[in-house]
Amino acid sequence: MKLTFFGHSCFLLESNGTRILFDPFITGNELAKDINIDDIKADYILLSHGHMDHVLDAEAIAKANNATIVSNFEIVSWYQEKKGIENGHPMNHGGSKSFDFGTVKFVNAVHSSVLPDGTYGGNPGGFVIQIENKTFYYAGDTALHMDMKLIGEYDQPDFSILPIGDNFTMGVKDAIIASDFVGTNNVVAMHFDTFPYIATDLENAKEQFTAAGKDLIILNIGESIEL
Ligand code: NI
Ligand code: MN
């Protein structure tokens, strides 16, 4: 299983030939200017919420690849009704669904969600995914919240992708607590540095995780790791 970072909160997970893309925001991200979205192949596009910095390139990539958009009901309906996307899979909080690659559960996030044209974007979420006998948690944009303990108790992720940039989401300190709540010491960082509001001292962030006995993985844009 390979995980590639495309900047901000956008990751591509490749497993047994299935390509799952999360929250594509590339053409609007100056830091990701070397990434060409025409090179990104995706079978599924998972969207945590409706904000522009999570959905900007979803339409183009979905249409180019005939990919299926998986998100909350409101966001999937918007893509189908307003954007002419044929393949959508709507979910809502607490629901799990088996796909050909594994199982996806849509879980709580504490944040907001509106689509780029002002349409109501439902409630924001995260994803707990079971794939290749591994479990991982993609938190989306969220505050630290107590429901993360349910994930730790019942899903026990092998690794988690958590926001660390503060201001709009958890910062480093709360991300460390979140990783305790979800019961994993292996954390991949997202939602940092893209905008001045979320500029992050990454060396300090890594030190804080290390001091807590945890590993914070910070990928360069375009970098991949094997999981
Ligand atoms: Ni957001
Ligand atoms: Mn965001």
Side-chain angles (χ1 to χ4, degrees), residues 8 49 51 53-54 111 141 191:
H8 199 51
H49 65 296
H51 288 158
D53 62 313
H54 298 260
H111 192 66
D141 278 7
H191 216 270

Side-chain angles (χ1 to χ4, degrees), residues 60-71:
I61 296 171
K63 286 180 174 171
N65 291 274
N66 202 26
T68 299
I69 291 183
V70 180
S71 189

